[in-house]
Amino acid sequence: MGYGMTLSGVVLVLVPMWCLMSGNCLAATLGGLRDTVLGRETFKSVTNVSTFLLDPSSDTLFLGARDAILALDTKNLNQQPKKIVWAVPEEKRRSCVGKGKTEVDCNNYIRLLEFLKDGRIYVCGTYAFDPQCAFLQRSSFTLETTEDGGVKMETGKGKCPFEPSQRYTAVMADGILYTAATSNFLGTLYDISRATGPEHERVRTDQSINWLNDPEFVSSAYIEQTADSNPTGDDDKIYFFFTEIAKEHDLYTNVPRVVRVCKSDVGGMKTLQRRWTTFLKAQLVCEDKPSGQRYNILTDVFTARHSSGDPSSTHFYGLFTSQWEPNDVSAVCVFSLFDISKVMDGPFKELKKTCENWNSPETVPTPRPGQCLNSALKAQGFESSLKLPDKVLTFVRDHPLMENSVTAAPLLVRKGIKYTKLAVTLMGEAEDRRGAVLHLGTDRGELHQVAVAGQNATLLQEIPLFSSQEPVNNILLYQGRALVGSPLSVARVQAEGCTLYSSCEVCARARGVGCEWSAEDQTCRFTEADPSPGDVVDDALRKCHTQDGRCNPSIRELKVSIGLRILLPCVQLSPRPCSWEYPPHRHTRQHHSDLAVTVTMDNLGKYVCTCQEGGPSIRDPTPCRRAAFFLNLEGPTVEGTAAQAGSRHVLAIYIFLFFMGLVFGAFLLYFVTGKQNVTRPGHRDHDISLSSGKGRELLGSSTTPQSQSSSSVVSEGFKLTEKQNGKTTSTKTTTLLSNHGNGGHHANSYNGARISSNPSNGHPLLANCDTSGTGLKLNSEILVANTLGGRTGVREWVRSMGGEMESGEGHGVDEGLGDRKKGLQDELSSFPMLGLQAPLAPCEESSI
C-alpha cells in the first residue's frame, strides 16, 4: 500500500489475495474501500479475458475472453455474470492444428467489442486463425443467428488479428471501424485501415516498409472536431500509436510512432487507389535530456481531454520502456495534440537512394500533401481526396515520415517494475488544474497510484489485486472507480477523489494535486485553496504531527546480524539518479535506487539515500533525501578466531552435504538411464539436452495472449516467459516486502526492528549458495523492507544474488532427466578442479 496504511488497508490487501488463492469465495470485499475482486470461482472455466467494453446506459461491462463473452453488472459484481459461448467447431479446430498451430491457439479469442450506430455490439474473434465477426443484441444478450440456427458471421480479416498474442488496436468513429492489425495468416503483413462502411470507401496502408515496418500496435484515438472549436472546417482525425523498426536509422532500433489519418479520406483516383492519401507519421521521443536516457518502446497510451468541449486540449499519456535497459524500467511521457499537429504541419523527411542519407525535400507540391480536407481546400475545388493531383499523391506516398519529432520529458521513471497499463485522472477543473493521478497496472497484478504535480511525482498507494502471475491488461475509469482486469480476474477499486486516501499522511502526499486533510472530519478532501509557499507536501505532513517530511524522513533503526545481506529500499520516481551515503568500509551494491548491504562489523551505522528531483528548471534538479536507516547489531557478537572457526565448521558441513548430493544424483541418473536402456532395447535414448526446454519457452502462452503462463498461481517464486519485439525473455522473481512511497515511510517505523536469519521473525529469507569465484560460499540473505509491499529492484536483486526460485511441473521423464543432467553440469562446472564444460545457453530469437 502507500503511506500511512491503516488496519483497513491491511484488510484491503489480505482479503482479496486470500480469496484468489483459496478459491473459496465468489467475490472478496476490499476492506474500507468496499470494492470487489472477482476471481476464478466467478468466471469458472472462462480464461484469457482481454477486452473491455462499458455500456454506461446500463452500467454493464462486457468482457471478451477465450470462446466466451461475459456481461457484468458493475453496480452488483456479486451477481453471477451472463455468458455467451462462441467456440470454434471441432473440424475447424483440427484443420487449424493441421496447419502447424497449437491446440491452445486454435480457439476463438474475442479481441474486439465495439458499439454500432444501431445499438448492437460488433464482436470479432481470432476463430482458429480465421478471424470472424458477429453481432450481439444488448437487450437479449444473444448473438444473431442464421436461418439454420448458427451464429451469423462475416469475415474479420483486417478487423481482428489472426493470432491471440498479436498486438492490435481499433477505434469506432461515427459507426465506422478503424483498425491497426495484421492482415494475413502468417502475421507478416500489417494494415491500418477503414475496416467497415461502404466497400468503395474502405482504404488501407500501402504495402511499403516506408509506411509500416514490423509494427507493434498499441492504441488509437478518434478526435472529433466541434463547430465551436473548428473555424477552418477541418476534418476529423484518427490517431494510431505503435512501435516499429526505424528505417531511417542505420541500426535496427525500435522507435515509437504516431500516425494520423483523416476521416473523409477515400484514396486517390489513379495513384494510391483505395490507399490513404493523408497517412503521415512522426516519431515520439520520451527522453530525459540532462541524463540522455531515452525510452523507445511504447507500451500503452491513454487519451485525456484537459478542457471539456475543446478537442485541441487533448493530451496523450504514453507508457514506455527501453530496449537498452537490461532490467525492467517504466516511464510515462505526455504529448499534446497541439505538438503533434505542429510536427505534422512541418517539413517532410526524405531518403535519397543514391547516397542512402535522409534529407529534407527541396520542394513540396501544392496543395500540401497529407493534409485533411478543410473549407479552404473545398473552395479550391478539392471536395474529395479523389480530386487531388497525382504529384501530391506521389509525394505523400514516398514521404510518409515527418522530419521533426514530438518530444517530451518523463513525468516519472520507475526502475525494477514493469507497468503494463495506464489510466489518468485529472485533478481540478480546467481553469484550476492541479496535476493528475496516474493509475498504473503492473505485470504482477497490482495497481499503483502516483500523483504528478509539476515536475515532481509522488507514490500514493500500491494495491495488490490479483495473484502475482496475473498482469493487469485493462484499466477503465468509470464513476470515480477503476475497473481493472487481468486474464483471469476483474476488480473494482475506488480511484478518483481525495476521499480514497484514508490517512493524514497519504492525503498530505497528494497535496500537490489539491487534496487536504480535515482534522475535524478525519477525512481527505479536495480543496481549491492554494498551498502555502515552500514544499507543499512537507507543510501538509507537519499538520499530521509526523516527524517524516517529504525530503526529510526519520531514521529507521534495523537490528541485524553479521553476515546477513539486506536490501535497503529507496523509491525514486524521477529519471535523475539516487545516491547513498554509508560507512567507509563498504560491502554494498546498488540495485536501481535500492542498496544491497552485506553486514560486517565495519559497515554498521547510518545509511542515507538522496535522489535528484526536478527543480525550478528542468536542468536544475534539487536533491531530496528519500530514506535513512541505521544498522545496529541485534546483540553481543563472538569475535576472533572462535567465530571464524565456527564458520569454517559450518562451511565444511555444507560442502560435505553438497558432494553427497552430487554422488546421490549421479547414482540416480545412472539407475534411471540404465532402466530405460533395459526396458527399451534396440532404441536410441531420447535427447535430454536443453533444446526441448528451449522450444517450450518460445511457445505462445496458454494462459492468455497478453500474459505469461505459469505452473502455479500460488507459488511464491515463479518464472515468466514473454515475447516482445521478436525477443524472448525470461524473468524469475520472488515476493518481497519493501518500502514504497517515494521517500516516505509507514506510520509503523522500523525503530528497534530485529533482523536475523530466523525464519520465524516474519521476514522472508533467501538462502544463497554462491559457488562461483574462488570457492564455495554459503550465506543467508534477508531482503529488508517495509510492509508497504514494494518491489523496486527485486528482479535484478534476485538474479544478481543467485537466489532464483524454481517453479513449474515436469513434462515427462526424458525432460526431467534433461533438467537433472543440466543441474549436475552447472553445479560441477562451478568448481575449478572439475573440468566439466558448462552447457550452452538456449538461443534467443532475434528481433531483426
Side-chain angles (χ1 to χ4, degrees), residues 175-326:
I176 303 298
L177 183 67
Y178 295 79
T179 64
T182 53
S183 57
N184 66 336
F185 179 84
L186 298 176
T188 57
L189 299 179
Y190 306 89
D191 269 331
I192 293 177
S193 65
R194 182 185 292 120
T196 62
E199 189 66 31
H200 65 278
E201 293 183 357
R202 297 189 184 184
V203 294
R204 60 186 180 89
T205 50
D206 193 41
Q207 293 300 321
S208 167
I209 60 173
N210 288 336
W211 286 41
L212 294 173
N213 188 18
D214 196 18
E216 285 205 0
F217 300 113
V218 171
S219 182
S220 52
Y222 170 48
I223 307 299
E224 185 177 9
Q225 300 287 346
T226 60
D228 297 338
S229 62
N230 189 22
T232 61
D234 204 5
D235 193 14
D236 296 340
K237 302 173 183 65
I238 299 95
Y239 293 86
F240 294 91
F241 299 89
F242 56 94
T243 302
E244 71 171 349
I245 303 299
K247 187 176 181 297
E248 69 270 23
H249 296 308
D250 293 335
L251 299 176
Y252 286 91
T253 182
N254 292 291
V255 171
R257 304 284 201 199
V258 56
V259 157
R260 186 191 75 183
V261 295
C262 303
K263 191 178 71 172
S264 62
D265 188 354
V266 292
M269 180 63 70
K270 296 180 181 179
T271 305
L272 291 180
Q273 291 183 6
R274 305 283 295 272
R275 301 292 187 270
W276 295 109
T277 65
T278 56
F279 182 94
L280 296 178
K281 67 178 179 179
Q283 180 176 349
L284 299 175
V285 176
C286 180
E287 180 183 21
D288 178 54
K289 291 186 178 179
S291 65
Q293 180 63 50
R294 181 174 291 193
Y295 308 93
N296 68 321
I297 297 177
L298 190 60
T299 303
D300 191 29
V301 174
F302 182 86
T303 304
R305 185 171 293 183
H306 283 200
S307 298
S308 178
D310 182 11
S312 64
S313 68
T314 301
H315 286 68
F316 303 101
Y317 290 77
L319 180 60
F320 291 83
T321 185
S322 174
Q323 74 177 107
W324 299 293
E325 285 281 343

Side-chain angles (χ1 to χ4, degrees), residues 33 72 87 119 167 177 238 241 282 332 511 713 754 790 817:
L33 298 183
L72 293 175
R167 298 290 300 270
L177 183 67
I238 299 95
F241 299 89
V332 175
R511 185 65 185 94
V713 176
R754 178 176 178 272
L817 290 175

